[in-house]
Amino acid sequence: MELRHLEHFVAVAEEQHFTHAAERLRVAQSGVSASVRALERELGAELFLRTTRRVGLTDAGRALLVEARRTLACAAAAREAVAAVQGLMGGTLSVGTEQCMGTVDAAALLASFHARHPQVEVHMEQAGSGRLLEQVRRGELDVAFVVHDGLHEGVRLRRVAEEPLMLLCRADHPLAGTGGPVPAARLAGEVFVDLHPDWGARRAADLAFADAGVARKVALQVNDVYTLLDLVSRGLGAAVVPRPVTLKEQARGLSAVPLAEPTLWKVAVAVPAAGQPTAAARALLAMIGHQD
């Protein structure tokens, strides 16, 4: 079983299309097809269900995908271990982060990493924590800074920081002058602005209200913290946000009120559970004063 065959198989599984996989790998489609056929012959099982438009994994294919990713990750780690002994570090580093983590300045961190290791090609993706955790689990990201609510299968989480959630509203809002803390029951009829459910901050807020047994009306959903702040400042709703968001320049003039039922916004760095982090990922992790 050749690593090249496994690489081609994983690409087809992720793209669900032979042509797209070949384009991604920058090889001829015939080569990708030949790799998959070789694997199927060697394993004595069909790996894909083929249709005219797409391909899907069989049960055997799904089982192989987990091990193929693990094998490729181990092979990459082996190459990097040898390079590290020789005093070299190259390859790529793929990092994911939510927007406005507050406790982690991803841009500054990556700039510092690049200055120390200019030979490493750095990639960054910004998305909600739900998506980032899935990408880490699949091995598509080496490291991700996420908001989490517990254990996640296939991912190792190392705590970075914790911050309380707070109610953010206009200064003329009835709750702005209370001084807090505000119980969730008093917010039952409030109209809220919030991020989409894939975001860690949204999940933490939903969990806080669910634990308090209070239904919450989210009338406006956005995918950008600054749009959220703009909507709150225009009186279109209140928001429940992590404390670092209330300290942003765009939040100046808004009122931040503590919640009576304290809920923590937990920031962690996530790495794949399978195998060891790459040399580049280990170097990045060493630059973060994270705690286990």
Side-chain angles (χ1 to χ4, degrees), residues 3-285:
L3 290 177
R4 174 174 56 87
H5 292 168
L6 293 178
E7 289 172 347
H8 292 182
F9 162 75
V10 170
V12 174
E14 291 176 350
E15 298 293 336
Q16 299 184 340
H17 200 284
F18 277 87
T19 301
H20 295 167
E23 291 171 350
R24 166 175 147 181
L25 295 165
R26 297 182 180 179
V27 300
Q29 181 178 333
S30 59
V32 175
S33 299
S35 289
V36 171
R37 286 196 301 270
L39 278 174
E40 290 178 326
R41 284 195 303 270
E42 183 171 354
L43 297 171
E46 286 193 4
L47 301 175
F48 293 105
L49 297 172
R50 298 160 173 84
T51 68
T52 55
R53 294 192 175 185
R54 61 184 291 272
V55 294
L57 288 167
T58 62
D59 289 342
R62 282 189 287 272
L64 177 61
L65 182 59
V66 174
E67 298 303 327
R69 284 175 171 153
R70 183 177 292 123
T71 299
L72 292 172
C74 289
R79 287 191 292 267
E80 288 171 359
V82 173
V85 169
Q86 296 173 322
L88 304 173
M89 184 189 296
T92 62
L93 174 67
S94 298
V95 179
T97 183
E98 269 205 6
Q99 185 189 32
C100 300
M101 295 299 288
T103 55
V104 178
D105 188 340
L109 179 64
L110 291 180
S112 179
F113 177 88
H114 178 68
R116 297 186 191 186
H117 309 288
Q119 67 275 34
V120 177
E121 184 178 332
V122 177
H123 301 275
M124 189 184 87
E125 176 162 350
Q126 192 176 81
S129 287
R131 176 178 172 182
L132 295 175
L133 284 165
E134 178 60 20
Q135 288 180 290
V136 170
R137 187 188 68 80
R138 294 201 303 256
E140 296 171 4
L141 291 173
D142 299 310
V143 175
F145 299 103
V146 299
V147 179
H148 71 97
D149 51 9
L151 299 176
H152 291 268
E153 185 178 355
V155 175
R156 288 203 304 269
L157 294 167
R158 299 176 182 177
R159 182 167 59 89
V160 174
E162 296 177 348
E163 291 280 356
L165 291 178
M166 303 188 75
L167 177 72
L168 190 64
C169 56
R170 277 171 46 127
D172 58 0
H173 190 282
L175 294 175
T178 61
V182 178
R186 290 190 62 183
L187 302 174
E190 193 70 45
V191 175
F192 284 94
V193 181
D194 213 327
L195 300 161
H196 281 265
D198 190 51
W199 285 61
R202 169 65 182 274
R203 291 184 177 190
D206 286 346
L207 182 62
F209 280 83
D211 287 347
V214 176
R216 187 168 72 116
K217 179 182 178 182
V218 178
L220 298 94
Q221 291 190 135
V222 298
N223 257 334
D224 178 83
V225 171
Y226 300 106
T227 302
L228 179 147
L229 293 174
D230 186 39
L231 292 172
V232 173
S233 69
R234 294 176 186 273
L236 292 172
V240 174
V241 298
R243 190 180 69 90
V245 173
T246 71
L247 304 177
K248 291 188 173 297
E249 178 69 24
Q250 293 80 358
R252 181 176 293 181
L254 298 177
S255 180
V257 185
L259 298 177
E261 297 86 0
T263 299
L264 292 177
W265 178 72
K266 301 176 181 179
V267 178
V269 57
V271 297
Q276 293 296 318
T278 66
R282 290 196 300 273
L284 181 72
L285 293 172

